[in-house]
Amino acid sequence: MEKQDGPDSGEARIDDPWYDALASGWGELDGTGAPAPVVPPARGRPEDRGVRAADIYLEVQRSAAFQEVRGRYRRFVVPSVAVFLTWYVGYVVVATTAPQFMARPVAGAVNVAMVAGLGQFLTTFLFTWAYARHARLRRDRAALDLRWDTQELTRGVAGGGR
């Protein structure tokens, strides 16, 4: 029996945009119990073969799908960074302006400064986890679709590389 190689072979190919989808944990539901919403597809293939790759990238950048992915990124990152920087600066300000408060014992030799310092590490890990989860559920699939569409559109056009 010959080894079948192609889209119907049942094997993942490295050029398949969903190659690492199984490892990424997709299929999880978002916090509401429903699947993540679908992003509108990018624009179709240009009819003019004289189109340059730069024009295709500009077209994709202006597409509703790209704007939606960027908007989802900003809606998560901007508030997260604001919260984390406020928490970090607050910790530093309180540590420098209120050393008596930070030296107050919480439990045995553990004081407020130690708890707040460990809280900095904890919130860093929590924000990292939340960012990775948000990206996986809200942006990765749409970004891979855009990447795939862009590669298909740029294949064989002037200035397309490869």
Side-chain angles (χ1 to χ4, degrees):
M1 176 179 263
E2 275 185 40
K3 183 178 178 183
Q4 185 181 13
D5 189 22
D8 297 329
S9 68
E11 293 183 29
R13 296 184 341 252
I14 195 82
D15 62 337
D16 183 357
W18 303 110
Y19 176 73
D20 61 348
L22 296 177
S24 69
W26 282 346
E28 293 181 16
L29 302 176
D30 63 3
T32 65
V38 177
V39 175
R43 295 182 187 171
R45 177 178 286 279
E47 298 301 324
D48 181 15
R49 298 304 286 167
V51 175
R52 294 182 345 201
D55 296 333
I56 292 172
Y57 283 107
L58 287 173
E59 179 183 347
V60 170
Q61 184 180 8
R62 293 180 187 120
S63 72
F66 183 84
Q67 296 304 321
E68 180 65 23
V69 170
R70 293 296 295 169
R72 288 179 182 183
Y73 172 78
R74 286 186 193 110
R75 285 190 297 272
F76 181 83
V77 169
V78 170
S80 297
V81 167
V83 167
F84 185 78
L85 285 178
T86 302
W87 162 228
Y88 175 74
V89 170
Y91 171 75
V92 171
V93 167
V94 171
T96 56
T97 60
Q100 301 83 9
F101 172 72
M102 295 300 263
R104 184 174 295 158
V106 174
V110 178
N111 60 21
V112 173
M114 293 174 95
V115 171
L118 291 173
Q120 291 287 316
F121 286 104
L122 177 64
T123 55
T124 300
F125 291 119
L126 285 174
F127 275 120
T128 302
W129 170 81
Y131 176 83
R133 183 174 190 276
H134 181 269
R136 185 180 68 246
L137 294 176
R138 304 270 186 225
R139 297 188 322 266
D140 284 353
R141 186 176 302 264
L144 275 173
D145 286 342
L146 280 169
R147 179 178 166 199
W148 185 258
D149 291 344
T150 304
Q151 287 177 350
E152 288 295 314
L153 291 171
T154 57
R155 195 165 294 172
V157 299
R162 303 180 193 194

